[in-house]
Amino acid sequence: MKLTAGAGALALSFTLAACGGETASEEPEKKAAPKGDGTFTVGQLLPQTGSLAFLGPPEFAGVDLAVKEINEAGGVLDKPVASHKADEGDSDSGIAPAEADGLLSKKSDVIIGTASSGMAKTVVDKIMSAGTVLFSGANTSTDFDEGDFSKPDLYFRTSPSDILQGAVLSNLLIEDGRSNVAILARQDAYGETLAEQIKVNLEDSGAKVATTSFYSQDATSFEAQVNEIAGSGADAVVVVSFEEVKKIMPQLIAAGAGPAKLPTYFVDGNTADYSDTFKKGELKGVKGTIPGAETSDDFKARLATVDPSLKDYAYAAECYDATIVAALAAVAAENDSGEAVAEQIIDVTTGGTKVKTFAEGVELLKKGEDIDYDGVSGPIELGETGSPTAASIGIYQYDDKSQIAPVKYISGQI
């Protein structure tokens, strides 16, 4: 992996072992994909409730905008796209499987979701077994490029794995002069993976990890973990969490380990607007990372046509692009079934003539040309595991009103 940024950034390079899998000669002969019902149907399994509910509005808006623009361009296979929404919830509610069943009963060919890697693991087998694509705009767990997921299947994502975010955040810590970092993280697939990636990259760069303290994903008190961080002698702390950061930060501040005394860093699961949550100055100077390229003013204006109240934009672009890519794949396959779509998803994001909109892509596909869709989230370039091979990570910083603004964007190849 190579990272590039503005002047002053450290140059880091990583060599990643290729995921194991069968060679082309070992693959069994593929059966023809079943024919779809003629209507390309998009399910949305995204957070309306739970610890990631703050990510729901931009993600739903991204899908809604894509569906709107696809239909304005003539739809898929000359028919309007159908769309249905459902709530992934979180581990406390456990509603994701039942909500997924509802979307499958509505004949969803592709389901955009989930936001949480952990929630994806609870529904991915069910969805793929139904012949439906699960296409996430926000899953970042490295697990989705390993084991059975390293082989072609019906799972895809437009957000890069935490290998990239871990490297970028570690690079940022080193740039800022941090050499003895404490990590406070959720004990789940997301928290454990990202904490490990941060630790590995810090240590590879010569820094130390003072302590890594995990808390249960359903914890209501963080006293033991906060005391461990406060007493670790660290010169910075990385908080890998979801919405529970609203409870964690007051405890860190009370323990003398808040941002005013201990430089603090967030990740994509908790980097959000907290102007209505924290007191003036409490988060000032905190930095965070969110996968994705800069959200352009044009894209924000287009999102406002489907959600005028939208204020946060995390993963809106990735969910938009996942929907566009899936629709282009259906056009390329001349078949709206999930299995047919899956066979074309990687092809429409690599090689061929560059296109940046659904309308451009359809025009070329109808002429029999190969296309390479580059979206609002970046180059995409999906690899054989269904994950991006190139992406961007944004670095954000909080002001004294607990609002975030982008500082710079890091591009990387995985």
Side-chain angles (χ1 to χ4, degrees), residues 1 3 10-16 163 166-167 170-171 173-174 178-179 181 195-209:
M1 182 195 319
L3 304 181
L10 297 184
L12 301 181
S13 63
F14 304 83
T15 301
L16 304 181
I163 289 176
S170 300
N171 190 37
L173 287 158
I174 298 296
R178 317 306 176 199
S179 60
V181 180
E196 178 62 21
Q197 290 300 319
I198 295 167
K199 180 176 185 292
V200 167
N201 283 291
L202 282 172
E203 292 178 344
D204 284 350
S205 299
K208 296 180 180 179
V209 173

PDB file of all heavy atoms in Angstrom, residues 1 3 10-16 163 166-167 170-171 173-174 178-179 181 195-209:
ATOM      1  N   MET A   1       0.847  -1.178   0.000  1.00  0.00           N
ATOM      2  CA  MET A   1       0.000   0.000   0.000  1.00  0.00           C
ATOM      3  C   MET A   1       0.884   1.230   0.000  1.00  0.00           C
ATOM      4  O   MET A   1       1.862   1.303   0.709  1.00  0.00           O
ATOM      5  CB  MET A   1      -0.858   0.016   1.259  1.00  0.00           C
ATOM      6  CG  MET A   1      -1.815   1.181   1.349  1.00  0.00           C
ATOM      7  SD  MET A   1      -2.439   1.325   3.016  1.00  0.00           S
ATOM      8  CE  MET A   1      -2.718  -0.355   3.419  1.00  0.00           C
ATOM      9  N   LEU A   3       0.871   5.471   0.407  1.00  0.00           N
ATOM     10  CA  LEU A   3       0.075   6.604   0.829  1.00  0.00           C
ATOM     11  C   LEU A   3       0.702   7.870   0.302  1.00  0.00           C
ATOM     12  O   LEU A   3       1.911   8.038   0.329  1.00  0.00           O
ATOM     13  CB  LEU A   3       0.024   6.689   2.362  1.00  0.00           C
ATOM     14  CG  LEU A   3      -0.488   5.449   3.094  1.00  0.00           C
ATOM     15  CD1 LEU A   3      -0.483   5.718   4.574  1.00  0.00           C
ATOM     16  CD2 LEU A   3      -1.853   5.071   2.605  1.00  0.00           C
ATOM     17  N   LEU A  10       4.633  11.714   6.057  1.00  0.00           N
ATOM     18  CA  LEU A  10       5.629  10.661   6.016  1.00  0.00           C
ATOM     19  C   LEU A  10       5.311   9.717   4.884  1.00  0.00           C
ATOM     20  O   LEU A  10       4.159   9.473   4.559  1.00  0.00           O
ATOM     21  CB  LEU A  10       5.621   9.873   7.337  1.00  0.00           C
ATOM     22  CG  LEU A  10       6.001  10.644   8.604  1.00  0.00           C
ATOM     23  CD1 LEU A  10       6.034   9.684   9.781  1.00  0.00           C
ATOM     24  CD2 LEU A  10       7.353  11.301   8.446  1.00  0.00           C
ATOM     25  N   ALA A  11       6.328   9.169   4.279  1.00  0.00           N
ATOM     26  CA  ALA A  11       6.123   8.194   3.209  1.00  0.00           C
ATOM     27  C   ALA A  11       6.116   6.812   3.818  1.00  0.00           C
ATOM     28  O   ALA A  11       7.086   6.397   4.434  1.00  0.00           O
ATOM     29  CB  ALA A  11       7.246   8.307   2.172  1.00  0.00           C
ATOM     30  N   LEU A  12       5.016   6.126   3.698  1.00  0.00           N
ATOM     31  CA  LEU A  12       4.901   4.768   4.212  1.00  0.00           C
ATOM     32  C   LEU A  12       4.601   3.837   3.066  1.00  0.00           C
ATOM     33  O   LEU A  12       3.877   4.179   2.146  1.00  0.00           O
ATOM     34  CB  LEU A  12       3.764   4.658   5.243  1.00  0.00           C
ATOM     35  CG  LEU A  12       3.855   5.545   6.482  1.00  0.00           C
ATOM     36  CD1 LEU A  12       2.654   5.262   7.372  1.00  0.00           C
ATOM     37  CD2 LEU A  12       5.131   5.288   7.230  1.00  0.00           C
ATOM     38  N   SER A  13       5.125   2.650   3.117  1.00  0.00           N
ATOM     39  CA  SER A  13       4.782   1.670   2.093  1.00  0.00           C
ATOM     40  C   SER A  13       4.580   0.335   2.767  1.00  0.00           C
ATOM     41  O   SER A  13       5.230   0.012   3.752  1.00  0.00           O
ATOM     42  CB  SER A  13       5.891   1.563   1.032  1.00  0.00           C
ATOM     43  OG  SER A  13       7.092   1.102   1.604  1.00  0.00           O
ATOM     44  N   PHE A  14       3.656  -0.441   2.233  1.00  0.00           N
ATOM     45  CA  PHE A  14       3.301  -1.718   2.817  1.00  0.00           C
ATOM     46  C   PHE A  14       3.169  -2.751   1.712  1.00  0.00           C
ATOM     47  O   PHE A  14       2.698  -2.437   0.624  1.00  0.00           O
ATOM     48  CB  PHE A  14       1.953  -1.644   3.558  1.00  0.00           C
ATOM     49  CG  PHE A  14       1.933  -0.577   4.613  1.00  0.00           C
ATOM     50  CD1 PHE A  14       1.667   0.741   4.273  1.00  0.00           C
ATOM     51  CD2 PHE A  14       2.188  -0.888   5.930  1.00  0.00           C
ATOM     52  CE1 PHE A  14       1.652   1.723   5.231  1.00  0.00           C
ATOM     53  CE2 PHE A  14       2.163   0.094   6.898  1.00  0.00           C
ATOM     54  CZ  PHE A  14       1.903   1.399   6.547  1.00  0.00           C
ATOM     55  N   THR A  15       3.594  -3.955   1.991  1.00  0.00           N
ATOM     56  CA  THR A  15       3.407  -5.038   1.038  1.00  0.00           C
ATOM     57  C   THR A  15       2.377  -5.979   1.611  1.00  0.00           C
ATOM     58  O   THR A  15       2.542  -6.492   2.718  1.00  0.00           O
ATOM     59  CB  THR A  15       4.730  -5.798   0.803  1.00  0.00           C
ATOM     60  OG1 THR A  15       5.695  -4.870   0.311  1.00  0.00           O
ATOM     61  CG2 THR A  15       4.520  -6.907  -0.213  1.00  0.00           C
ATOM     62  N   LEU A  16       1.321  -6.202   0.871  1.00  0.00           N
ATOM     63  CA  LEU A  16       0.229  -7.045   1.348  1.00  0.00           C
ATOM     64  C   LEU A  16       0.240  -8.373   0.614  1.00  0.00           C
ATOM     65  O   LEU A  16       0.325  -8.408  -0.606  1.00  0.00           O
ATOM     66  CB  LEU A  16      -1.116  -6.356   1.123  1.00  0.00           C
ATOM     67  CG  LEU A  16      -1.253  -4.976   1.749  1.00  0.00           C
ATOM     68  CD1 LEU A  16      -2.636  -4.431   1.452  1.00  0.00           C
ATOM     69  CD2 LEU A  16      -1.007  -5.040   3.230  1.00  0.00           C
ATOM     70  N   ILE A 163      -7.242  -1.668   6.770  1.00  0.00           N
ATOM     71  CA  ILE A 163      -5.804  -1.666   6.507  1.00  0.00           C
ATOM     72  C   ILE A 163      -5.379  -0.255   6.112  1.00  0.00           C
ATOM     73  O   ILE A 163      -4.360   0.267   6.581  1.00  0.00           O
ATOM     74  CB  ILE A 163      -5.447  -2.673   5.390  1.00  0.00           C
ATOM     75  CG1 ILE A 163      -5.617  -4.101   5.908  1.00  0.00           C
ATOM     76  CG2 ILE A 163      -4.025  -2.450   4.886  1.00  0.00           C
ATOM     77  CD1 ILE A 163      -5.383  -5.162   4.859  1.00  0.00           C
ATOM     78  N   GLY A 166      -6.121   2.331   9.135  1.00  0.00           N
ATOM     79  CA  GLY A 166      -5.141   2.131  10.195  1.00  0.00           C
ATOM     80  C   GLY A 166      -3.791   2.726   9.843  1.00  0.00           C
ATOM     81  O   GLY A 166      -3.114   3.327  10.685  1.00  0.00           O
ATOM     82  N   ALA A 167      -3.399   2.584   8.572  1.00  0.00           N
ATOM     83  CA  ALA A 167      -2.122   3.134   8.125  1.00  0.00           C
ATOM     84  C   ALA A 167      -2.149   4.656   8.118  1.00  0.00           C
ATOM     85  O   ALA A 167      -1.200   5.312   8.558  1.00  0.00           O
ATOM     86  CB  ALA A 167      -1.788   2.604   6.732  1.00  0.00           C
ATOM     87  N   SER A 170      -2.188   5.986  11.778  1.00  0.00           N
ATOM     88  CA  SER A 170      -0.870   5.804  12.378  1.00  0.00           C
ATOM     89  C   SER A 170       0.114   6.821  11.823  1.00  0.00           C
ATOM     90  O   SER A 170       0.924   7.400  12.564  1.00  0.00           O
ATOM     91  CB  SER A 170      -0.361   4.386  12.109  1.00  0.00           C
ATOM     92  OG  SER A 170      -1.237   3.426  12.660  1.00  0.00           O
ATOM     93  N   ASN A 171       0.045   7.051  10.518  1.00  0.00           N
ATOM     94  CA  ASN A 171       0.896   8.043   9.874  1.00  0.00           C
ATOM     95  C   ASN A 171       0.644   9.431  10.468  1.00  0.00           C
ATOM     96  O   ASN A 171       1.576  10.201  10.745  1.00  0.00           O
ATOM     97  CB  ASN A 171       0.624   8.046   8.371  1.00  0.00           C
ATOM     98  CG  ASN A 171       1.633   8.876   7.586  1.00  0.00           C
ATOM     99  OD1 ASN A 171       2.799   8.907   7.907  1.00  0.00           O
ATOM    100  ND2 ASN A 171       1.144   9.540   6.546  1.00  0.00           N
ATOM    101  N   LEU A 173      -0.519  10.147  13.491  1.00  0.00           N
ATOM    102  CA  LEU A 173       0.025  10.181  14.847  1.00  0.00           C
ATOM    103  C   LEU A 173       1.530  10.426  14.831  1.00  0.00           C
ATOM    104  O   LEU A 173       2.053  11.229  15.618  1.00  0.00           O
ATOM    105  CB  LEU A 173      -0.291   8.866  15.565  1.00  0.00           C
ATOM    106  CG  LEU A 173      -1.758   8.677  15.995  1.00  0.00           C
ATOM    107  CD1 LEU A 173      -2.074   7.200  16.190  1.00  0.00           C
ATOM    108  CD2 LEU A 173      -2.049   9.448  17.274  1.00  0.00           C
ATOM    109  N   ILE A 174       2.235   9.746  13.939  1.00  0.00           N
ATOM    110  CA  ILE A 174       3.685   9.922  13.833  1.00  0.00           C
ATOM    111  C   ILE A 174       4.011  11.344  13.378  1.00  0.00           C
ATOM    112  O   ILE A 174       4.912  11.996  13.920  1.00  0.00           O
ATOM    113  CB  ILE A 174       4.287   8.898  12.861  1.00  0.00           C
ATOM    114  CG1 ILE A 174       4.060   7.461  13.365  1.00  0.00           C
ATOM    115  CG2 ILE A 174       5.767   9.159  12.652  1.00  0.00           C
ATOM    116  CD1 ILE A 174       4.746   7.145  14.671  1.00  0.00           C
ATOM    117  N   ARG A 178       3.552  11.867  18.050  1.00  0.00           N
ATOM    118  CA  ARG A 178       3.108  10.954  19.106  1.00  0.00           C
ATOM    119  C   ARG A 178       3.950   9.674  19.034  1.00  0.00           C
ATOM    120  O   ARG A 178       4.077   9.066  17.975  1.00  0.00           O
ATOM    121  CB  ARG A 178       1.631  10.606  18.956  1.00  0.00           C
ATOM    122  CG  ARG A 178       0.731  11.789  18.621  1.00  0.00           C
ATOM    123  CD  ARG A 178       0.846  12.949  19.584  1.00  0.00           C
ATOM    124  NE  ARG A 178       0.022  14.070  19.141  1.00  0.00           N
ATOM    125  CZ  ARG A 178       0.186  15.312  19.553  1.00  0.00           C
ATOM    126  NH1 ARG A 178       1.151  15.605  20.419  1.00  0.00           N
ATOM    127  NH2 ARG A 178      -0.590  16.280  19.100  1.00  0.00           N
ATOM    128  N   SER A 179       4.475   9.269  20.165  1.00  0.00           N
ATOM    129  CA  SER A 179       5.367   8.104  20.174  1.00  0.00           C
ATOM    130  C   SER A 179       4.979   7.039  21.186  1.00  0.00           C
ATOM    131  O   SER A 179       5.583   5.970  21.246  1.00  0.00           O
ATOM    132  CB  SER A 179       6.806   8.553  20.457  1.00  0.00           C
ATOM    133  OG  SER A 179       6.898   9.207  21.724  1.00  0.00           O
ATOM    134  N   VAL A 181       1.294   5.740  22.298  1.00  0.00           N
ATOM    135  CA  VAL A 181      -0.145   5.943  22.086  1.00  0.00           C
ATOM    136  C   VAL A 181      -0.993   4.916  22.830  1.00  0.00           C
ATOM    137  O   VAL A 181      -0.695   3.717  22.806  1.00  0.00           O
ATOM    138  CB  VAL A 181      -0.463   5.879  20.572  1.00  0.00           C
ATOM    139  CG1 VAL A 181      -1.949   6.088  20.325  1.00  0.00           C
ATOM    140  CG2 VAL A 181       0.373   6.914  19.812  1.00  0.00           C
ATOM    141  N   ALA A 195      -8.064  -1.412  15.874  1.00  0.00           N
ATOM    142  CA  ALA A 195      -7.054  -1.246  16.915  1.00  0.00           C
ATOM    143  C   ALA A 195      -5.780  -1.996  16.563  1.00  0.00           C
ATOM    144  O   ALA A 195      -4.668  -1.487  16.755  1.00  0.00           O
ATOM    145  CB  ALA A 195      -7.603  -1.736  18.259  1.00  0.00           C
ATOM    146  N   GLU A 196      -5.932  -3.192  16.030  1.00  0.00           N
ATOM    147  CA  GLU A 196      -4.765  -3.988  15.639  1.00  0.00           C
ATOM    148  C   GLU A 196      -4.005  -3.336  14.495  1.00  0.00           C
ATOM    149  O   GLU A 196      -2.768  -3.294  14.495  1.00  0.00           O
ATOM    150  CB  GLU A 196      -5.206  -5.400  15.246  1.00  0.00           C
ATOM    151  CG  GLU A 196      -4.078  -6.311  14.771  1.00  0.00           C
ATOM    152  CD  GLU A 196      -3.017  -6.578  15.833  1.00  0.00           C
ATOM    153  OE1 GLU A 196      -3.310  -6.402  17.034  1.00  0.00           O
ATOM    154  OE2 GLU A 196      -1.889  -6.963  15.453  1.00  0.00           O
ATOM    155  N   GLN A 197      -4.739  -2.800  13.502  1.00  0.00           N
ATOM    156  CA  GLN A 197      -4.074  -2.141  12.374  1.00  0.00           C
ATOM    157  C   GLN A 197      -3.314  -0.900  12.823  1.00  0.00           C
ATOM    158  O   GLN A 197      -2.197  -0.630  12.351  1.00  0.00           O
ATOM    159  CB  GLN A 197      -5.101  -1.777  11.303  1.00  0.00           C
ATOM    160  CG  GLN A 197      -5.683  -2.967  10.559  1.00  0.00           C
ATOM    161  CD  GLN A 197      -4.626  -3.779   9.818  1.00  0.00           C
ATOM    162  OE1 GLN A 197      -3.718  -3.216   9.213  1.00  0.00           O
ATOM    163  NE2 GLN A 197      -4.739  -5.083   9.882  1.00  0.00           N
ATOM    164  N   ILE A 198      -3.887  -0.141  13.731  1.00  0.00           N
ATOM    165  CA  ILE A 198      -3.210   1.044  14.264  1.00  0.00           C
ATOM    166  C   ILE A 198      -1.950   0.636  15.015  1.00  0.00           C
ATOM    167  O   ILE A 198      -0.871   1.211  14.831  1.00  0.00           O
ATOM    168  CB  ILE A 198      -4.160   1.843  15.178  1.00  0.00           C
ATOM    169  CG1 ILE A 198      -5.337   2.395  14.371  1.00  0.00           C
ATOM    170  CG2 ILE A 198      -3.412   2.987  15.875  1.00  0.00           C
ATOM    171  CD1 ILE A 198      -6.471   2.925  15.230  1.00  0.00           C
ATOM    172  N   LYS A 199      -2.072  -0.382  15.856  1.00  0.00           N
ATOM    173  CA  LYS A 199      -0.944  -0.861  16.656  1.00  0.00           C
ATOM    174  C   LYS A 199       0.202  -1.338  15.769  1.00  0.00           C
ATOM    175  O   LYS A 199       1.366  -0.955  15.964  1.00  0.00           O
ATOM    176  CB  LYS A 199      -1.404  -1.989  17.579  1.00  0.00           C
ATOM    177  CG  LYS A 199      -0.324  -2.584  18.486  1.00  0.00           C
ATOM    178  CD  LYS A 199      -0.926  -3.625  19.412  1.00  0.00           C
ATOM    179  CE  LYS A 199       0.090  -4.152  20.427  1.00  0.00           C
ATOM    180  NZ  LYS A 199       1.156  -4.960  19.784  1.00  0.00           N
ATOM    181  N   VAL A 200      -0.112  -2.168  14.796  1.00  0.00           N
ATOM    182  CA  VAL A 200       0.919  -2.727  13.916  1.00  0.00           C
ATOM    183  C   VAL A 200       1.665  -1.619  13.177  1.00  0.00           C
ATOM    184  O   VAL A 200       2.901  -1.616  13.103  1.00  0.00           O
ATOM    185  CB  VAL A 200       0.292  -3.717  12.912  1.00  0.00           C
ATOM    186  CG1 VAL A 200       1.278  -4.047  11.792  1.00  0.00           C
ATOM    187  CG2 VAL A 200      -0.137  -4.992  13.622  1.00  0.00           C
ATOM    188  N   ASN A 201       0.910  -0.671  12.628  1.00  0.00           N
ATOM    189  CA  ASN A 201       1.540   0.395  11.858  1.00  0.00           C
ATOM    190  C   ASN A 201       2.348   1.350  12.726  1.00  0.00           C
ATOM    191  O   ASN A 201       3.399   1.850  12.309  1.00  0.00           O
ATOM    192  CB  ASN A 201       0.486   1.151  11.056  1.00  0.00           C
ATOM    193  CG  ASN A 201       0.045   0.381   9.830  1.00  0.00           C
ATOM    194  OD1 ASN A 201       0.797   0.208   8.879  1.00  0.00           O
ATOM    195  ND2 ASN A 201      -1.186  -0.111   9.844  1.00  0.00           N
ATOM    196  N   LEU A 202       1.875   1.623  13.943  1.00  0.00           N
ATOM    197  CA  LEU A 202       2.655   2.459  14.860  1.00  0.00           C
ATOM    198  C   LEU A 202       3.980   1.794  15.208  1.00  0.00           C
ATOM    199  O   LEU A 202       5.047   2.420  15.155  1.00  0.00           O
ATOM    200  CB  LEU A 202       1.865   2.728  16.142  1.00  0.00           C
ATOM    201  CG  LEU A 202       0.766   3.787  16.069  1.00  0.00           C
ATOM    202  CD1 LEU A 202      -0.042   3.801  17.360  1.00  0.00           C
ATOM    203  CD2 LEU A 202       1.352   5.173  15.809  1.00  0.00           C
ATOM    204  N   GLU A 203       3.910   0.525  15.554  1.00  0.00           N
ATOM    205  CA  GLU A 203       5.124  -0.194  15.950  1.00  0.00           C
ATOM    206  C   GLU A 203       6.085  -0.354  14.779  1.00  0.00           C
ATOM    207  O   GLU A 203       7.312  -0.279  14.957  1.00  0.00           O
ATOM    208  CB  GLU A 203       4.754  -1.539  16.557  1.00  0.00           C
ATOM    209  CG  GLU A 203       4.042  -1.394  17.902  1.00  0.00           C
ATOM    210  CD  GLU A 203       3.605  -2.711  18.517  1.00  0.00           C
ATOM    211  OE1 GLU A 203       3.570  -3.726  17.785  1.00  0.00           O
ATOM    212  OE2 GLU A 203       3.283  -2.724  19.719  1.00  0.00           O
ATOM    213  N   ASP A 204       5.552  -0.545  13.580  1.00  0.00           N
ATOM    214  CA  ASP A 204       6.403  -0.630  12.392  1.00  0.00           C
ATOM    215  C   ASP A 204       7.130   0.689  12.125  1.00  0.00           C
ATOM    216  O   ASP A 204       8.182   0.710  11.482  1.00  0.00           O
ATOM    217  CB  ASP A 204       5.577  -1.011  11.164  1.00  0.00           C
ATOM    218  CG  ASP A 204       5.203  -2.485  11.147  1.00  0.00           C
ATOM    219  OD1 ASP A 204       5.751  -3.239  11.978  1.00  0.00           O
ATOM    220  OD2 ASP A 204       4.353  -2.878  10.330  1.00  0.00           O
ATOM    221  N   SER A 205       6.540   1.793  12.615  1.00  0.00           N
ATOM    222  CA  SER A 205       7.140   3.115  12.412  1.00  0.00           C
ATOM    223  C   SER A 205       8.031   3.537  13.577  1.00  0.00           C
ATOM    224  O   SER A 205       8.530   4.663  13.604  1.00  0.00           O
ATOM    225  CB  SER A 205       6.032   4.156  12.204  1.00  0.00           C
ATOM    226  OG  SER A 205       5.267   3.849  11.069  1.00  0.00           O
ATOM    227  N   GLY A 206       8.202   2.642  14.558  1.00  0.00           N
ATOM    228  CA  GLY A 206       9.092   2.933  15.672  1.00  0.00           C
ATOM    229  C   GLY A 206       8.422   3.509  16.896  1.00  0.00           C
ATOM    230  O   GLY A 206       9.090   3.793  17.900  1.00  0.00           O
ATOM    231  N   ALA A 207       7.108   3.716  16.861  1.00  0.00           N
ATOM    232  CA  ALA A 207       6.374   4.221  18.026  1.00  0.00           C
ATOM    233  C   ALA A 207       5.945   3.050  18.914  1.00  0.00           C
ATOM    234  O   ALA A 207       6.049   1.883  18.534  1.00  0.00           O
ATOM    235  CB  ALA A 207       5.173   5.033  17.580  1.00  0.00           C
ATOM    236  N   LYS A 208       5.425   3.381  20.096  1.00  0.00           N
ATOM    237  CA  LYS A 208       4.965   2.364  21.028  1.00  0.00           C
ATOM    238  C   LYS A 208       3.467   2.523  21.292  1.00  0.00           C
ATOM    239  O   LYS A 208       2.915   3.608  21.127  1.00  0.00           O
ATOM    240  CB  LYS A 208       5.725   2.465  22.356  1.00  0.00           C
ATOM    241  CG  LYS A 208       7.213   2.187  22.248  1.00  0.00           C
ATOM    242  CD  LYS A 208       7.877   2.311  23.617  1.00  0.00           C
ATOM    243  CE  LYS A 208       9.377   2.037  23.540  1.00  0.00           C
ATOM    244  NZ  LYS A 208      10.025   2.182  24.870  1.00  0.00           N
ATOM    245  N   VAL A 209       2.851   1.438  21.707  1.00  0.00           N
ATOM    246  CA  VAL A 209       1.465   1.480  22.160  1.00  0.00           C
ATOM    247  C   VAL A 209       1.484   1.290  23.672  1.00  0.00           C
ATOM    248  O   VAL A 209       1.860   0.224  24.173  1.00  0.00           O
ATOM    249  CB  VAL A 209       0.609   0.394  21.474  1.00  0.00           C
ATOM    250  CG1 VAL A 209      -0.787   0.355  22.087  1.00  0.00           C
ATOM    251  CG2 VAL A 209       0.526   0.662  19.976  1.00  0.00           C
TER     252      VAL A 209
END
